[in-house]
Amino acid sequence: MAFASTYCPEGIGYAMSDQPTGSWTTNGYIMRPTQRTQGNHPGIIDYKGSSYVFGLNYDLIHLETFKHHERRSTSAAKMHYNPDGTIQEVPYWAENVLEQIEPLNPYRRVEAETIAWGYGLKTERMPDGRMCVTHIDDNESLCVQGVDFGQGAREFSVTAACNVEGGYIEIRLDSTTGPLIGQVEITRTGAMDRFKSMSCPIEGAWGVYDLYFCFKSTAQKNNLFFLDYWEFKQ
């Protein structure tokens, strides 16, 4: 049983029992408390032969302010058991290197909120139930890591809603200044709840890369468009 231990700062503690209803014996920390580990509420999963511990932190909001807000982000780390079932301590989230389990397949519908890294973006549920990426401003970007283009992509399409002119997405590899493989214009759909598919040709995308969508506008600077999902074609 994993739990938020100590207050405050909070670490991640755990207890062990022979049955789900206890009694329980505490066994120390999965993650030791530090000044960075406040607001931890853990969970543990097993996936494809490995164990992972999840928890919370304030690292993203602290890029902007150290004034307290309940804006915690989820982190994960690989976890290891000892032969007797006890758990080896895990360093703080930022000190872990979590390897990608498998590459992402871009030749299917990928929800736009599939994000390895982004800043300034939000997700929002639309009235019809779809989840979208919103609050997209000029010169912001998002990254999707470890995308496997295989033998090469020839086309990209994205479903978006837009109520302004002059918005577009630069599609780049490995960084926001990396090779430009395509550029799709996000045309005006009439309202931010009217979604249409837009596409562009792709050149120079084969093998495995980190994928960057760089959001640009020649007119309005804020709230350019909403993104629902995207897909590449071979």
Side-chain angles (χ1 to χ4, degrees):
M1 178 176 63
F3 55 90
S5 64
T6 68
Y7 179 84
C8 218
E10 290 178 346
I12 299 178
Y14 74 103
M16 298 177 67
S17 174
D18 291 332
Q19 53 189 358
T21 56
S23 58
W24 296 90
T25 302
T26 57
N27 283 79
Y29 295 110
I30 298 176
M31 182 177 290
R32 191 169 293 274
T34 74
Q35 290 302 317
R36 296 179 294 176
T37 54
Q38 300 183 21
N40 247 324
H41 297 285
I44 296 172
I45 67 166
D46 291 336
Y47 184 70
K48 294 194 173 182
S50 295
S51 295
Y52 300 88
V53 58
F54 289 77
L56 303 175
N57 64 70
Y58 292 97
D59 290 350
L60 287 183
I61 187 64
H62 284 171
L63 294 176
E64 187 174 282
T65 178
F66 281 92
K67 183 178 179 181
H68 182 71
H69 295 277
E70 284 299 330
R71 299 177 186 172
R72 288 173 281 187
S73 302
T74 305
S75 289
K78 199 168 185 178
M79 195 183 75
H80 299 278
Y81 291 94
N82 295 311
D84 62 356
T86 57
I87 298 171
Q88 298 176 18
E89 280 193 27
V90 175
Y92 181 70
W93 309 113
E95 297 165 3
N96 281 278
V97 177
L98 188 60
E99 299 292 340
Q100 187 165 340
I101 296 172
E102 57 190 19
L104 185 139
N105 174 16
Y107 302 115
R108 59 180 176 85
R109 171 172 169 158
V110 180
E111 297 300 320
E113 61 271 20
T114 304
I115 302 173
W117 175 256
Y119 186 77
L121 309 174
K122 294 186 178 181
T123 58
E124 185 177 343
R125 191 170 296 281
M126 300 292 102
D128 62 3
R130 71 178 80 199
M131 185 69 75
C132 292
V133 175
T134 64
H135 289 74
I136 298 172
D137 300 336
D138 184 41
N139 285 324
E140 291 182 338
S141 63
L142 69 80
C143 171
V144 183
Q145 290 183 321
V147 177
D148 188 357
F149 292 100
Q151 297 301 310
R154 61 176 178 81
E155 185 179 348
F156 172 80
S157 63
V158 61
T159 297
C162 179
N163 203 28
V164 300
E165 299 291 345
Y168 59 98
I169 303 174
E170 293 181 348
I171 307 166
R172 295 183 178 272
L173 301 179
D174 284 343
S175 76
T176 57
T177 58
L180 179 67
I181 61 171
Q183 180 173 296
V184 58
E185 180 184 5
I186 306 301
T187 57
R188 189 170 182 173
T189 62
M192 297 301 267
D193 60 354
R194 296 180 184 175
F195 289 84
K196 293 182 179 179
S197 179
M198 305 158 203
S199 61
C200 70
I202 295 294
E203 293 184 2
W206 56 84
V208 179
Y209 296 92
D210 291 344
L211 175 66
Y212 282 79
F213 296 136
C214 303
F215 308 119
K216 306 290 182 179
S217 175
T218 57
Q220 183 171 323
K221 299 301 181 183
N222 299 316
N223 204 26
L224 304 180
F225 34 76
F226 290 177
L227 299 183
D228 186 8
Y229 61 90
W230 53 266
E231 182 178 5
F232 285 84
K233 292 182 180 179
Q234 293 176 307

